[in-house]
């Protein structure tokens, strides 16, 4: 079958044959009725945008409000209309209760070392290890086979690696990780994504550094498992929490805005619930310290919450079918009364599961917002198991934002150098192409004398320019690398910024973006927003839209669709 002649050369000035044209292949038909409606809408848009009264209303400053520091903002990954949210739930540890990290990490570190020596047979000299809070941050992975601690970017590529307390040698790093993605489902790797897990990472590396320096052979997998089991025991047997309860003021920050923030949500018509893995005795002690007496309307912390669930065993709460057990809250240990048939205000429960919770409360799916700090137990599992909306508390974000704000001049300089580096690279490549073309023309020896002299002069000039550009590019590479290292190591000398790894988001930052509708540094940040707030996210732009394609202008805001990671 003949299709007729086809031009062998595409003109850069004309559209691709069969592509968009006067009569495009895609969406070419618009009825006269649709065109009339569009014309009418355009006219109404002009009237709306030029309405003087409306313009004055929109440009007039609002009543003076407290200026919210950038670090205390609520950040949005997925649009969320708070007027659609009827029930808001909170985790307790690291969510309502913000711990003094260095003090709690040191306590956990010391208690775990003591248990390793007394119950797991580790040599007493291990007790001399010193906790280095700089060596740990959320989002690190432990390689249980090779004894390394890793930080990855959003693609799972390893950007930084330490063996013991020293950077992994480059040849070892390349052999193990250069052409591989770390998949955290692989049991070789352990993902430390909670603040509770920070001491175990420091212990793992510290013991390897100490024992290998003394000539001992270390079984990395057994070491990690021993540390994990010991630190779990310290939490499970309540020995750690007993120490915290002895001096709550030492370990838990008292946020004077927490009560008012919860009150504002309740005043906006929201019902509140507490859903924590902590047992009743510890929950009651911490919550009394945080909220009792903050506001006269709430003589007890329990008055803030419509439902209180302890020992919830998240993430199993979101996937299993454990029943709700009613507790006698007048007793210290929270004696079990029996299996609950309903959830009542003023009663305390333990255990439970998501399906029964929705049935017993009458609230479901997107009408529920859950606020927690654990990317897996609170955010990811709730997102994959339900339609609950999610907010993640990342207390470290205040430190990172305040730090980068303080380095504004340095970061601006680095940004300018990075753009200059990209421009230099493009110019070097352009000059190389021009030089290659000139040399081919001169080698053929077919140019008239005048053109040859002109080409020789142009080649000489291009060579000089290329040499200058190459030297500048080399210098710029060194400057950019030094400045970037200085900025990153100023925040953490081992791992850099929490949310970044190289030029990409870190694995931790990526998971926050994927699974949390909102994220913020503390619950009390909601005090600075209306309970009816519409939290709007910027729309993701594809590369061609960032390059200027006008489809980027269709809507600058994101949607209320499923969370990015909900189907992964």
């Amino acid at each position: 079958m003949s299709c007729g002649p086809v031009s062998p050369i595409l003109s850069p000035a004309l559209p691709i044959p069969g592509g968009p044209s006067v009569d495009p292949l895609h969406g070419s038909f618009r009825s006269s009725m649709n065109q009339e409606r569009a014309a009418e809408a355009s006219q109404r848009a002009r009237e709306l945008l030029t309405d003087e009264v409306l313009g004055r209303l929109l440009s007039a400053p609002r009543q003076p409000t407290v200026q919210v520091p950038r670090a205390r903002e609520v950040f949005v990954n997925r649009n969320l209309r708070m007027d659609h949210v009827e029930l808001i739930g909170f985790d307790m540890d690291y969510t309502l209760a913000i711990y003094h990290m260095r003090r709690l990490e040191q306590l956990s570190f010391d208690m775990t070392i003591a248990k390793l020596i007394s119950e797991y047979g580790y040599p007493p000299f291990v007790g001399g290890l010193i906790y280095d809070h700089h060596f740990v941050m959320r989002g690190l992975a432990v390689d249980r086979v090779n004894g390394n601690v890793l930080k990855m970017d959003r693609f799972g590529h390893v950007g930084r690696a330490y063996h013991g307390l020293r950077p992994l040698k480059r040849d070892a790093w390349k052999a193990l990780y250069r052409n591989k993605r770390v998949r955290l489902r692989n049991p070789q790797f352990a993902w430390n994504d909670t603040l509770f897990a920070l001491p175990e990472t420091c212990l793992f590396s510290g013991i390897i550094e100490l024992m290998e320096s003394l000539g001992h052979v270390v079984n990395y997998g057994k070491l990690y498992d021993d540390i994990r089991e010991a630190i779990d025991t310290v939490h499970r047997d309540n020995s750690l929490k007993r120490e915290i309860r002895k001096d709550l003021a030492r370990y838990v920050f008292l946020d004077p805005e927490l009560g008012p923030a919860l009150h504002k949500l309740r005043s906006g018509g929201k019902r509140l619930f507490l859903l924590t893995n902590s047992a009743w005795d510890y929950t009651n002690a911490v919550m009394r310290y945080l909220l009792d007496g903050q506001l006269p309307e709430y003589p007890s912390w329990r008055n803030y919450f419509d439902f209180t669930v302890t020992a919830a065993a998240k993430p199993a709460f979101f996937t299993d079918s454990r029943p709700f057990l009613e507790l006698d809250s007048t007793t210290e240990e929270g004696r079990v009364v029996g299996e609950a048939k309903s959830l009542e205000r003023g009663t305390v429960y333990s255990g439970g599961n998501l399906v029964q919770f929705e049935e017993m409360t009458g609230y479901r799916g997107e009408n529920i917002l859950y606020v927690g700090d654990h990317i897996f137990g609170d955010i990811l599992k709730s997102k994959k198991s339900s339609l609950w909306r999610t907010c993640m508390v990342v207390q470290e974000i205040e430190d990172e934002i305040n730090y980068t704000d303080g380095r504004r001049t340095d970061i601006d300089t680095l940004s300018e150098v990075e753009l200059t580096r990209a421009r230099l690279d493009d110019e070097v490549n352009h000059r190389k192409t021009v030089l290659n073309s000139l040399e081919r023309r001169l080698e053929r020896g077919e140019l008239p004398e005048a053109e040859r002299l002109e080409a020789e002069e142009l080649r000489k000039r291009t060579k000089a320019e290329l040499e200058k550009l190459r030297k500048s590019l080399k210098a710029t590479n060194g400057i950019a690398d030094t400045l970037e290292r200085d900025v990153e190591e100023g925040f953490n000398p081992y791992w850099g910024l929490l949310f970044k790894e190289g030029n990409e988001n870190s694995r931790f930052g990526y998971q926050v973006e994927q699974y949390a509708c909102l994220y913020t540094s503390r619950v009390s940040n909601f005090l600075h927003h209306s309970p009816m707030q519409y939290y709007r996210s910027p729309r993701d732009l594809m590369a061609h839209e960032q390059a200027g394609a006008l489809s980027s202008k269709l809507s600058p805001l994101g949607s209320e669709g499923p969370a990015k990671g909900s189907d992964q």
Side-chain angles (χ1 to χ4, degrees), residues 25-86:
L25 295 178
H26 307 289
S28 59
F29 178 75
R30 290 197 304 153
S31 68
S32 57
M33 180 179 296
N34 285 344
Q35 292 183 51
E36 288 174 7
R37 287 175 178 167
E40 180 188 358
S42 294
Q43 176 59 35
R44 285 189 285 120
R46 286 190 290 271
E47 293 171 359
L48 179 73
L49 297 173
T50 57
D51 186 311
E52 293 184 3
V53 175
L54 182 60
R56 284 198 300 272
L57 289 173
L58 294 178
S59 61
R62 294 183 182 178
Q63 291 291 333
T65 56
V66 175
Q67 184 68 33
V68 181
R70 192 201 320 266
R72 297 286 307 278
E73 270 294 354
V74 175
F75 303 99
V76 191
N77 291 322
R78 176 191 172 202
N79 287 14
L80 190 152
R81 295 178 182 268
M82 285 294 286
D83 60 344
H84 291 179
V85 171
E86 301 174 275

Side-chain angles (χ1 to χ4, degrees), residues 336-457:
V336 175
V337 174
E339 185 173 334
K341 302 303 180 185
S342 63
L343 297 182
E344 305 293 337
R345 180 174 174 81
T347 304
V348 177
Y349 305 91
S350 72
N353 63 84
L354 182 146
V355 174
Q356 277 194 317
F357 182 84
E358 291 190 338
E359 289 175 352
M360 291 180 175
T361 62
Y363 297 96
R364 288 180 169 79
E366 295 202 343
N367 298 125
I368 301 174
L369 170 66
Y370 188 64
V371 186
D373 72 286
H374 193 316
I375 192 69
F376 184 76
D378 293 328
I379 305 300
L380 189 152
K381 275 298 181 182
S382 67
K383 183 57 64 181
K384 287 196 171 187
S385 305
S386 73
L387 293 176
W388 287 15
R389 307 305 299 271
T390 53
C391 174
M392 185 168 176
V393 172
V394 188
Q395 68 182 71
E396 308 99 300
I397 199 172
E398 287 191 27
D399 287 337
E400 185 161 311
I401 289 177
N402 289 330
Y403 168 75
T404 52
D405 282 353
R407 297 294 301 271
R408 179 184 300 275
T409 300
D410 300 318
I411 292 172
D412 287 345
T413 300
L414 174 58
S415 177
E416 190 172 352
V417 170
E418 289 278 15
L419 293 173
T420 302
R421 174 160 65 174
R423 177 68 189 278
L424 285 169
D425 191 47
D426 289 344
E427 291 298 330
V428 164
N429 291 328
H430 173 67
R431 295 304 192 288
K432 287 166 67 175
T433 302
V434 170
L435 192 59
N436 288 338
S437 176
L438 286 169
E439 289 179 342
R440 285 197 301 272
R441 290 176 66 197
L442 289 167
E443 284 172 3
R444 288 198 294 267
E446 300 171 354
L447 295 175
E449 182 64 15
E451 289 187 29
R452 185 186 65 78
L453 291 173
E454 184 180 345
E456 289 278 11
E457 180 60 30

Side-chain angles (χ1 to χ4, degrees), residues 148-310:
N148 301 323
V149 179
L150 318 171
K151 186 182 178 201
M152 298 166 292
D153 68 13
R154 66 190 180 101
F155 299 111
H157 295 143
V158 175
R160 301 167 202 243
Y162 278 77
H163 184 82
L165 300 176
R166 307 179 192 191
L168 190 64
K169 292 181 179 178
R170 185 162 183 80
D171 55 348
W173 173 78
K174 289 179 70 173
L176 288 171
Y177 310 116
R178 181 65 183 90
N179 296 312
K180 298 177 183 178
R181 290 180 62 188
V182 173
R183 299 188 181 278
L184 297 177
R185 288 188 294 271
N186 185 336
Q188 174 181 344
F189 302 102
W191 171 238
N192 290 341
D193 57 351
T194 73
L195 292 172
F196 271 130
L198 298 185
E200 71 190 51
T201 305
C202 190
L203 256 179
F204 180 75
S205 293
I207 291 176
I208 290 173
E209 179 74 20
L210 176 61
M211 297 192 74
E212 290 188 341
S213 70
L214 297 174
H216 296 274
V217 175
V218 180
N219 182 326
Y220 305 125
K222 182 178 184 304
L223 171 63
Y224 181 79
D225 292 343
D226 287 348
I227 293 171
R228 183 85 282 260
E229 186 177 332
I231 207 165
D232 274 350
T233 302
V234 165
H235 286 282
R236 203 166 42 238
D237 67 8
N238 282 328
S239 56
L240 178 71
K241 291 181 176 178
R242 277 197 298 271
E243 290 301 314
I244 296 171
R245 285 184 63 179
K246 290 177 183 177
D247 192 356
L248 285 171
R250 174 173 173 77
Y251 295 106
V252 184
F253 286 111
L254 193 59
D255 186 346
E257 293 181 336
L258 179 60
L262 297 176
H263 172 65
K264 187 171 185 177
L265 292 171
R266 290 190 61 84
S267 299
K270 315 301 181 188
R271 302 185 77 184
L272 309 183
F273 69 97
L274 179 68
L275 180 69
T276 175
N277 283 356
S278 289
W280 162 247
D281 58 341
Y282 184 72
T283 299
N284 187 40
V286 173
M287 295 302 294
R288 286 173 60 189
Y289 171 73
L290 289 174
L291 289 172
D292 277 11
Q294 270 212 359
L295 295 177
E297 300 95 318
Y298 303 89
S300 164
W301 70 266
R302 293 171 61 183
N303 299 123
Y304 287 91
F305 300 98
D306 295 275
F307 312 107
T308 300
V309 181
T310 63

